[in-house]
Amino acid sequence: MIILRKLSLAPRLVGARIRGCQKHTLPDLPYDYSALEPVISAEIMQLHHSKHHQTYINNLNVAEEKLAEAKAKSDISTVIALAPALKFNGGGHINHSIFWKNLSPDGGEPQGELLTAINRDFGSLDGLKSQLSAATVAIQGSGWGWLGYNKQKKILQIATCPNQDPLEATTGLIPLFGIDVWEHAYYLQYKNVRPDYVNAIWKVANWKDIITRFNAAQ
């Protein structure tokens, strides 16, 4: 039986100094593990949040400790060797911290300037959903599908990133809404039918959060 717990309404990253590094901790969810059912089961949410995201954080903290030690010793070879671990685990932490806020059992609808931009850049909300869903489903292996904002061109764009590559560091786009298509995000419930998961996730999209990110990005 899965034990559900009500968590703080304000997700946070708590920092503590460890050997000169800031220790990352798991952000609270703004809803119960069962809140997104039937789209995403409580079992998936609990495992995804408390196990998978926590693992990225643990590994990121270890990598940052090693980085601080290497820098203190002017060990450039180790600094360079740590780059993949920092990118993978740091990206996993960044992506998931956005993902939890991107979802909600009551996320409203796109409106205002965001809706205007969606209609301009994709023709309609259905056009956005269709294009982002298709791009996300087509990802080979594990990765993320994103709705991002191009600050230079002042337009919305769709992009995909492999593994845990963070959108902004990889493409320059500011992340607004991300769809996680690592199998741990859906396999227990949707098995190998990724399209069903991707199409269903729009039902719990947190447009309030997406609007806030869009307004901040401009």
Side-chain angles (χ1 to χ4, degrees):
M1 178 180 296
I2 293 182
I3 298 175
L4 306 179
R5 54 197 177 94
K6 187 69 177 177
L7 300 171
S8 167
L9 291 177
R12 65 189 186 281
L13 298 179
V14 181
R17 291 290 175 179
I18 294 184
R19 298 184 186 178
C21 296
Q22 182 172 328
K23 185 177 180 181
H24 305 281
T25 60
L26 186 68
D28 292 341
L29 292 184
Y31 39 74
D32 293 337
Y33 284 131
S34 62
L36 304 182
E37 291 187 332
V39 175
I40 305 178
S41 71
E43 183 179 17
I44 286 176
M45 289 300 297
Q46 185 176 46
L47 290 170
H48 197 174
H49 176 256
S50 68
K51 302 298 183 182
H52 290 280
H53 190 175
Q54 183 66 65
T55 297
Y56 294 122
I57 290 170
N58 294 344
N59 291 337
L60 176 60
N61 286 330
V62 169
E64 287 191 340
E65 274 193 51
K66 291 180 178 178
L67 179 64
E69 293 171 358
K71 285 183 175 180
K73 297 175 182 177
S74 297
D75 183 354
I76 305 303
S77 294
T78 298
V79 170
I80 294 171
L82 285 167
L86 290 165
K87 180 180 180 181
F88 180 75
N89 294 293
H93 184 31
I94 290 170
N95 293 339
H96 285 89
S97 295
I98 295 170
F99 185 64
W100 309 132
K101 294 180 181 180
N102 269 175
L103 304 177
S104 171
D106 182 23
E109 295 291 337
Q111 55 185 306
E113 291 185 16
L114 176 61
L115 181 58
T116 299
I118 289 172
N119 290 333
R120 178 195 67 212
D121 297 330
F122 301 103
S124 65
L125 177 58
D126 285 341
L128 165 61
K129 291 180 178 180
S130 176
Q131 292 179 49
L132 180 52
S133 294
T136 304
V137 169
I139 292 172
Q140 295 184 348
S142 300
W144 291 73
W146 289 98
L147 171 64
Y149 181 69
N150 187 320
K151 197 164 186 175
Q152 292 183 329
K153 296 182 178 180
K154 301 186 184 304
I155 59 172
L156 300 172
Q157 289 183 224
I158 288 170
T160 60
C161 295
N163 301 315
Q164 292 296 350
D165 290 5
L167 181 69
E168 189 167 4
T170 304
T171 68
L173 299 177
I174 299 172
L176 304 181
F177 177 66
I179 303 176
D180 184 354
V181 287
W182 279 68
E183 286 188 344
H184 63 240
Y186 64 90
Y187 203 86
L188 284 175
Q189 185 173 353
Y190 292 90
K191 307 306 180 189
N192 63 320
V193 191
R194 180 187 286 183
D196 286 357
Y197 158 72
V198 171
N199 291 327
I201 205 168
W202 291 102
K203 297 176 183 177
V204 290
N206 186 359
W207 289 105
K208 297 172 185 176
D209 181 63
I210 300 167
I211 289 169
T212 297
R213 293 179 188 279
F214 174 72
N215 291 339
Q218 298 184 84

